[in-house]
Amino acid sequence: MLYKKKPKPTNELRSDFFDGLPDDILISILCKLSSTAPRPSDFINILLTCKRLNRLALNPLVLNGAGPETLAVRAKNWSESAHRFLKQCVIAGNVEASYTLGMIRFYCLQNRRSGASLMAKAAIKSHAPALYSLAVIQFNGSGGLKNAKDLRAGVALCARAAYLGHIDALRELGHCLQDGYGVRKSVAEGRRLLVQANARELACVIRASCKASSTSNMLTWQPDNQTQRNVVGKREPGSSFGSALWSDFGCHVPTREVHPVNRFLVEWFGSTRRDYASGEEGLRMCSHGSCGRAEIRRNEFRRCSGCGKVNYCSRGCQAHDWKMRHKVVCAPMEQWMMMMDQEEEGVVEEDDGENDGSGDDHTVEAEDEENEGDDYDPDLTVEVE
């Protein structure tokens, strides 16, 4: 004789408290998560949990407050869904998303008009990195011909970004004033801004170090020869050694955190997608490892007049790379040409953009020139198309 199994008694008092929570409370929690999440996966996992959380997480209030790390998509994970998510954040009014998507479209996806428009949208809302990026575009004439440069506009954008606290913009403005590039020359005022940029960067680094670890390991002393040995070593794109700005004083200070969109550019142009992204051969990346910007046209960036082997999108990148790495390995042009002759067995490729002495030279001098000139920062020559 067959007996049916009796169903197990259910606890009628059991209830799902999550279903009883009102949407306003959940949206408030999701807003806090989107603004403070240390990585995008922490927020994306919420979207995959259930339909209700997916609907609430895509609420404009949540997307509007998403922070830079929540939007920090990796280049290897770039897809149409990631593009669509950033567009949703832009529609929701997220200024950081406008800047991030604008940089990706302008440099990586070759959509110059849309990318510049999104960065301008963020700049109108006083987004300092967007203002500085537009200044770099104006200085280089990116997206147009060489005569499309607007130095005055670049200086004005740098001044606005520097007023909002952007350190690289303050340093760029100091160099412009020191050299009279797009603005009336004022060496004293330029040096004052450069010293102020160094002080602000040190304060930013110390503040970040205090949050990350104890202050005991924040500042360490290193001899100059040991610092130089470390600098010459191999480093990954976007990684950083000690702060180059204070290396003259023997202090080893962790550098500032790289913006997520700069990490994206470094990964994008450093991967196999570079041919797809650049579209043309002969285009170069900025030699500062934490920048990631690439040329839009041939010979757009300025190269070091000392060795001719490195090129930079801005004076700020040149100053960082000189003190961090390049001052140790920079060799005169004649020595570099001899090395090229030996490596290529006497065959030297012609450089179409070789400087003939004409054009608007944007020279770069050492930031710590008042430090008795122990380090000479070679000029950046403008390559003539």
Side-chain angles (χ1 to χ4, degrees):
M1 187 175 180
L2 298 177
Y3 295 95
K4 292 183 178 180
K5 292 184 178 180
K6 293 182 180 182
K8 294 182 179 180
T10 58
N11 188 3
E12 296 180 358
L13 298 178
R14 236 172 87 190
S15 61
D16 193 344
F17 292 103
F18 172 75
D19 292 336
L21 288 175
D23 289 350
D24 294 345
I25 294 180
L26 291 177
I27 289 177
S28 177
I29 296 173
L30 291 173
C31 287
K32 182 66 174 179
L33 174 64
S34 66
S35 61
T36 59
R39 61 187 64 86
S41 59
D42 293 343
F43 184 75
I44 299 300
N45 290 335
I46 298 297
L47 299 176
L48 304 177
T49 302
C50 64
K51 291 183 179 180
R52 187 187 182 196
L53 283 179
N54 183 283
R55 174 176 58 85
L56 295 178
L58 296 178
N59 186 285
L61 291 176
V62 179
L63 297 180
N64 183 36
E69 296 299 334
T70 304
L71 306 173
V73 60
R74 301 290 296 271
K76 63 181 180 181
N77 298 329
W78 179 255
S79 61
E80 184 58 34
S81 60
H83 196 176
R84 186 166 55 251
F85 175 72
L86 286 176
K87 286 193 292 185
Q88 286 182 286
C89 294
V90 171
I91 295 172
N94 191 306
V95 179
E96 190 67 38
S98 297
Y99 170 63
T100 300
L101 186 57
M103 289 283 286
I104 293 175
R105 284 184 176 179
F106 188 87
Y107 286 103
C108 302
L109 304 183
Q110 297 184 329
N111 193 343
R112 318 295 183 202
R113 184 182 298 273
S114 176
S117 176
L118 287 173
M119 283 188 279
K121 183 178 179 180
I124 290 173
K125 297 182 179 180
S126 299
H127 190 267
L131 287 164
Y132 177 67
S133 294
L134 290 175
V136 173
I137 291 175
Q138 294 293 336
F139 281 137
N140 294 323
S142 302
L145 300 176
K146 183 179 179 181
N147 54 11
K149 296 179 180 180
D150 192 341
L151 304 185
R152 290 182 178 271
V155 171
L157 290 167
C158 266
R160 177 60 178 168
Y163 174 77
L164 295 173
H166 197 275
I167 298 174
D168 291 335
L170 183 62
R171 182 173 292 109
E172 191 81 15
L173 183 61
H175 281 299
C176 290
L177 285 169
Q178 191 172 252
D179 301 333
Y181 190 70
V183 68
R184 185 186 297 274
K185 185 174 183 179
S186 177
V187 177
E189 184 66 16
R191 290 180 178 176
R192 185 184 71 82
L193 293 181
L194 293 176
V195 172
Q196 186 177 354
N198 291 353
R200 286 191 181 184
E201 179 152 29
L202 179 63
C204 180
V205 167
I206 293 176
R207 193 181 307 115
S209 300
C210 289
K211 294 180 181 179
S213 60
S214 61
T215 57
S216 59
N217 296 327
M218 189 169 52
L219 293 173
T220 57
W221 181 270
Q222 280 191 341
D224 290 340
N225 55 356
Q226 182 178 354
T227 303
Q228 292 185 358
R229 286 198 300 269
N230 293 339
V231 168
V232 180
K234 182 180 179 181
R235 75 182 161 118
E236 298 296 329
S239 62
S240 47
F241 299 107
S243 178
L245 300 175
W246 295 87
S247 60
D248 291 339
F249 304 100
C251 289
H252 178 79
V253 184
T255 56
R256 286 180 294 136
E257 184 69 20
V258 180
H259 194 280
V261 74
N262 292 104
R263 292 202 302 262
F264 182 93
L265 295 179
V266 171
E267 294 174 1
W268 180 279
F269 291 108
S271 65
T272 56
R273 300 189 185 193
R274 181 173 183 178
D275 294 335
Y276 164 76
S278 60
E280 299 181 21
E281 295 183 1
L283 301 182
R284 304 165 298 183
M285 286 183 62
C286 178
S287 296
H288 180 39
S290 300
C291 175
R293 291 180 176 87
E295 289 182 328
I296 306 301
R297 66 175 189 278
R298 288 176 58 88
N299 304 322
E300 175 184 340
F301 293 165
R302 297 168 182 83
R303 66 180 181 182
C304 175
S305 63
C307 62
K309 295 189 293 184
V310 295
N311 42 268
Y312 304 99
C313 67
S314 64
R315 305 295 299 277
C317 286
Q318 193 274 342
H320 272 289
D321 196 58
W322 171 255
K323 299 294 288 182
M324 187 181 297
R325 177 189 63 89
H326 189 58
K327 69 175 181 179
V328 182
V329 299
C330 184
M333 178 66 76
E334 295 78 8
Q335 182 178 349
W336 175 62
M337 293 297 292
M338 293 177 58
M339 293 172 58
M340 291 292 292
D341 290 341
Q342 295 175 359
E343 291 179 1
E344 301 183 10
E345 298 179 353
V347 178
V348 179
E349 296 180 359
E350 297 182 357
D351 188 359
D352 296 332
E354 187 175 356
N355 188 11
D356 57 359
S358 63
D360 48 345
D361 287 348
H362 187 185
T363 59
V364 176
E365 299 176 358
E367 285 185 15
D368 53 348
E369 187 174 331
E370 67 276 5
N371 208 12
E372 297 184 359
D374 48 355
D375 287 325
Y376 175 70
D377 195 350
D379 296 342
L380 288 180
T381 61
V382 177
E383 298 192 358
V384 181
E385 295 179 331

